[in-house]
């Protein structure tokens, strides 16, 4: 999966891939400054900011 989560969610990704989504957000390392979503890789977010580690 290479597309950004921020965009995927708008495309009804969640409903079809909820288990995969949970894996991505389970241990978040980045937060999106624009939409507030979290992810394990900054490439998944449109405005990523590293969460303090
Ligand atoms: Zn975003």
């Amino acid at each position: 999966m290479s597309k950004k989560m921020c965009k995927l969610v708008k495309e009804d990704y969640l409903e079809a891939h909820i288990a995969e989504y949970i894996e991505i957000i389970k241990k978040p390392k980045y937060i999106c400054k624009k939409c507030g979503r979290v992810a394990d890789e900054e490439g998944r977010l449109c405005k990523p900011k590293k969460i303090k580690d």
Side-chain angles (χ1 to χ4, degrees):
M1 192 177 76
S2 57
K3 290 175 79 176
K4 291 187 174 20
M5 270 171 53
C6 297
K7 189 164 185 293
L8 288 170
V9 171
K10 287 180 193 159
E11 297 171 352
D12 296 330
Y13 167 86
L14 263 191
E15 197 165 342
H17 301 90
I18 188 67
E20 187 182 341
Y21 187 85
I22 289 168
E23 290 300 312
I24 294 167
I25 62 158
K26 208 157 54 176
K27 291 180 179 175
K29 295 194 183 96
Y30 296 89
I31 183 167
C32 179
K33 287 192 283 186
K34 188 178 175 191
C35 19
R37 296 196 170 94
V38 295
D40 56 354
E41 294 172 17
E42 60 183 325
R44 298 188 193 278
L45 302 168
C46 56
K47 295 276 185 188
K49 176 171 174 51
K50 196 168 192 213
I51 297 171
K52 202 177 90 174
D53 50 20

